C-alpha cells in the first residue's frame, strides 16, 4: 500500500466542504443502463480544451503518486500541451466534485460510495491495481489463538472499508480473527499512530507500511503476514462536467500518465525497475528525500509492484472492491473508461488485468 515520506512544494487545498459533498442531495448514480454512450474520434485526439490540470492527492508521498512527477519532468505532459500541478486535499473526491481539482486519486471504495451517494464524479482510470497486506504481532504471539483477550488494530478509524479487506486476508493467511475474542481499537488514520500503540505494548497486532517497519523490527515484532492481492487500491476520478467539456484533455492526460507509469514499472511489475536511478534523480530534484532508497536492491523501491502500467480498471475490479470491502452492490458504468481505453489504444496496449505476482 502506501509509504508516507514527506515532500515539500505541494500545495494544500483548503476550505473544501468535503463531507457535505459526499452526502449530497443528488440522486444516486452508477446505473449504467441510464448512461449515455461516449464516442471519441478515430486517430489522434484534438487539441486540449483545458491545458492547465490540477491533480489532487490525499497526502504527499515519495513513490505512490510519482507518475505525475515523472510525467512532468520527462516532458510527457508538455508533449500533450498540458501543465499539471499536484495539490493535496483532505477529501479528494470532494475536491474534484467541487471543481477545486480537475482530477484526483482516491481509494476505490470511497469512490464507489461517493458515486452511490450521487456525487458527480467519473472513475476515469486505475491508479494502483494491487495492494500489499503486511501484519506484525508482538513477541510471543505466533498463532491466532495467542491473540485471544488482546487489543488489535485493523484500521485507523471506524468504518474504514480496509478493515474488512485486512480481516479477510488474515483469514486466508491462517489468522482467522473470528476464532478468538479480541478488542478492535482505532488509534487514528495514520499508521505511525498504530506503530506508536504497538511499540508501547497497547496492541498485539497491526497492519503496517514500509516506513513503519524499522520501528517495528527495533521493537522485536514478529512479521506474521506479507501478502499481495490483485485488488484495486486507488483510482483516478474527475468531475463528470469537466470530463464532458474536456475529452481531448483527458485522453492526453491519461496517455502521458500511462507513459510515466510504464517508465516507473519497466521492464515489468515485480522486476527490479530499470529506470530507478533516473527516477530517483527526478524525485530528488523535486525535493523528495531519496537517501533511504539509493542503492536499494528491492523491487519495491519505486512501488512499481503495486502498479499496472496500463492503469487497469474494469467491472471486475469494481465488483472485487465491493465484495472484499463488504459494500452494498452497485453496477459499474463502463462508459467512464472510454477515455482510458482511447489512451491505451493510442499507445498500442490493452486494458488487461494484473498478473499475479509473488511477494518480493
Amino acid at each position: 500500500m502506501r509509504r508516507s515520506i514527506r515532500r515539500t512544494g505541494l500545495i494544500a487545498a483548503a476550505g473544501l466542504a468535503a463531507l457535505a459533498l459526499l452526502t449530497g442531495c443528488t440522486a444516486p448514480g452508477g446505473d449504467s443502463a441510464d448512461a449515455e454512450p461516449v464516442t471519441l474520434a478515430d486517430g489522434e485526439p484534438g487539441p486540449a480544451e483545458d491545458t492547465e490540470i490540477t491533480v489532487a492527492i490525499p497526502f504527499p508521498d515519495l513513490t505512490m503518486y510519482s507518475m505525475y512527477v515523472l510525467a512532468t519532468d520527462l516532458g510527457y505532459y508538455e508533449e500533450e500541451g498540458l501543465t499539471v500541478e499536484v495539490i493535496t486535499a483532505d477529501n479528494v473526491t470532494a475536491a474534484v466534485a467541487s471543481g477545486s481539482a480537475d482530477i484526483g486519486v482516491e481509494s476505490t471504495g470511497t469512490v464507489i460510495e461517493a458515486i452511490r451517494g450521487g456525487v458527480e464524479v467519473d472513475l476515469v482510470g486505475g491508479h494502483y491495481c494491487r495492494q500489499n497486506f503486511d501484519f506484525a504481532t508482538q513477541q510471543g504471539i505466533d498463532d491466532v489463538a495467542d491473540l485471544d483477550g488482546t487489543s488489535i488494530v485493523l484500521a485507523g478509524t471506524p468504518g474504514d472499508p480496509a478493515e474488512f479487506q485486512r480481516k479477510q486476508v488474515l483469514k486466508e493467511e491462517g489468522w482467522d480473527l473470528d476464532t478468538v475474542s479480541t478488542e478492535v481499537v482505532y488509534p487514528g488514520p495514520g499508521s505511525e499512530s498504530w506503530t506508536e500503540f504497538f511499540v508501547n505494548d497497547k496492541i498485539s497486532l497491526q497492519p503496517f507500511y514500509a516506513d513503519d517497519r524499522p520501528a517495528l523490527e527495533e521493537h522485536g515484532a514478529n512479521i506474521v503476514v506479507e501478502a499481495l492481492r490483485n485488488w484495486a487500491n486507488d483510482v483516478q476520478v474527475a468531475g463528470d462536467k469537466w470530463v464532458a467539456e474536456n475529452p481531448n484533455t483527458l485522453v492526453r492526460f491519461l496517455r502521458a500518465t500511462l507513459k510515466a507509469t510504464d517508465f516507473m514499472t519497466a521492464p515489468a511489475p515485480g522486476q527490479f525497475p530499470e529506470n530507478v536511478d533516473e527516477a530517483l534523480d527526478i524525485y530528488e530534484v523535486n525535493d523528495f528525500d531519496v537517501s533511504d532508497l539509493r542503492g536499494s536492491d528491492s523491487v519495491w523501491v519505486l512501488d512499481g509492484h503495486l502498479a499496472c502500467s496500463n492503469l487497469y480498471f474494469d467491472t471486475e475490479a469494481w465488483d472485487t472492491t465491493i465484495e472484499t470491502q463488504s459494500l452494498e452492490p452497485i453496477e459499474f458504468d463502463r462508459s467512464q473508461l472510454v477515455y482510458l481505453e482511447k489512451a491505451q489504444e493510442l499507445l498500442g496496449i490493452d486494458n488487461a488485468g494484473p498478473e499475479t505476482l509473488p511477494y518480493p
Side-chain angles (χ1 to χ4, degrees):
M1 289 185 183
R2 298 181 174 94
R3 106 178 51 206
S4 301
I5 302 177
R6 294 292 172 184
R7 176 196 173 194
T8 61
L10 292 174
I11 304 169
L16 299 173
L19 294 179
L21 281 167
L22 288 181
T23 56
C25 300
T26 53
D31 187 353
S32 62
D34 296 333
E36 290 292 330
V38 178
T39 302
L40 298 177
D42 293 335
E44 280 290 309
E49 298 87 1
D50 184 358
T51 60
E52 297 183 0
I53 310 302
T54 301
V55 176
I57 61 175
F59 52 84
D61 188 278
L62 175 59
T63 54
M64 191 167 189
Y65 310 106
S66 58
M67 59 276 292
Y68 305 118
V69 176
L70 293 172
T72 295
D73 282 48
L74 292 169
Y76 297 152
Y77 290 136
E78 185 178 5
E79 291 171 1
E80 302 288 356
L82 304 176
T83 300
V84 173
E85 177 185 41
V86 178
I87 67 172
T88 57
D90 290 335
N91 188 299
V92 170
T93 306
V96 170
S98 69
S100 298
D102 303 310
I103 295 169
V105 181
E106 184 61 279
S107 67
T108 314
T110 297
V111 170
I112 290 173
E113 291 304 283
I115 292 174
R116 184 198 310 283
V119 180
E120 296 179 345
V121 296
D122 288 348
L123 193 163
V124 297
H127 179 253
Y128 271 9
C129 64
R130 299 181 182 87
Q131 299 185 44
N132 63 287
F133 293 88
D134 301 335
F135 297 89
T137 64
Q138 296 285 357
Q139 293 183 41
I141 295 182
D142 303 309
D143 183 86
V144 66
D146 297 329
L147 295 174
D148 195 59
T150 68
S151 297
I152 65 173
V153 169
L154 292 176
T157 54
D160 184 345
E163 181 173 339
F164 296 101
Q165 289 185 319
R166 290 169 181 150
K167 187 176 180 181
Q168 178 175 331
V169 171
L170 281 167
K171 182 177 181 179
E172 292 172 352
E173 297 293 327
W175 290 74
D176 186 355
L177 296 178
D178 289 333
T179 64
V180 293
S181 176
T182 60
E183 178 189 14
V184 180
V185 298
Y186 303 93
S191 64
E192 66 277 2
S193 62
W194 315 346
T195 302
E196 186 69 18
F197 268 52
F198 190 95
V199 300
N200 284 286
D201 298 318
K202 295 181 180 180
I203 56 174
S204 59
L205 174 145
Q206 73 159 85
F208 68 91
Y209 303 135
D211 50 335
D212 304 310
R213 189 166 192 140
L216 293 171
E217 290 181 340
E218 182 178 356
H219 183 69
N222 292 328
I223 308 302
V224 295
V225 172
E226 295 178 292
L228 280 177
R229 294 290 187 273
N230 284 345
W231 298 347
N233 193 337
D234 294 307
V235 290
Q236 298 183 84
V237 295
D240 57 8
K241 181 180 179 182
W242 184 88
V243 170
E245 294 174 349
N246 298 279
N248 294 303
T249 297
L250 182 53
V251 171
R252 289 181 174 278
F253 170 84
L254 289 170
R255 178 164 63 176
T257 307
L258 283 163
K259 291 180 180 178
T261 309
D262 181 67
F263 180 90
M264 182 182 72
T265 57
Q271 298 183 30
F272 188 79
E274 62 188 16
N275 297 317
V276 61
D277 290 334
E278 187 174 355
L280 292 179
D281 288 345
I282 290 172
Y283 300 162
E284 193 166 45
V285 167
N286 284 274
D287 299 323
F288 283 120
D289 179 4
V290 300
S291 56
D292 290 341
L293 301 180
R294 293 287 189 189
S296 172
D297 59 1
S298 170
V299 299
W300 297 72
V301 62
L302 299 181
D303 271 2
H305 61 294
L306 300 179
C308 287
S309 57
N310 63 353
L311 297 179
Y312 158 81
F313 195 84
D314 67 3
T315 302
E316 182 178 357
W318 175 277
D319 291 342
T320 297
T321 300
I322 289 173
E323 178 185 354
T324 60
Q325 295 190 4
S326 297
L327 304 177
E328 181 182 345
I330 179 175
E331 190 174 359
F332 179 53
D333 176 7
R334 283 202 80 261
S335 68
Q336 298 172 94
L337 296 181
V338 66
Y339 308 96
L340 173 65
E341 290 169 346
K342 175 65 175 180
Q344 291 169 336
E345 175 191 331
L346 291 168
L347 293 172
I349 57 179
D350 60 25
N351 195 39
E355 296 181 1
T356 299
L357 296 181
Y359 193 94

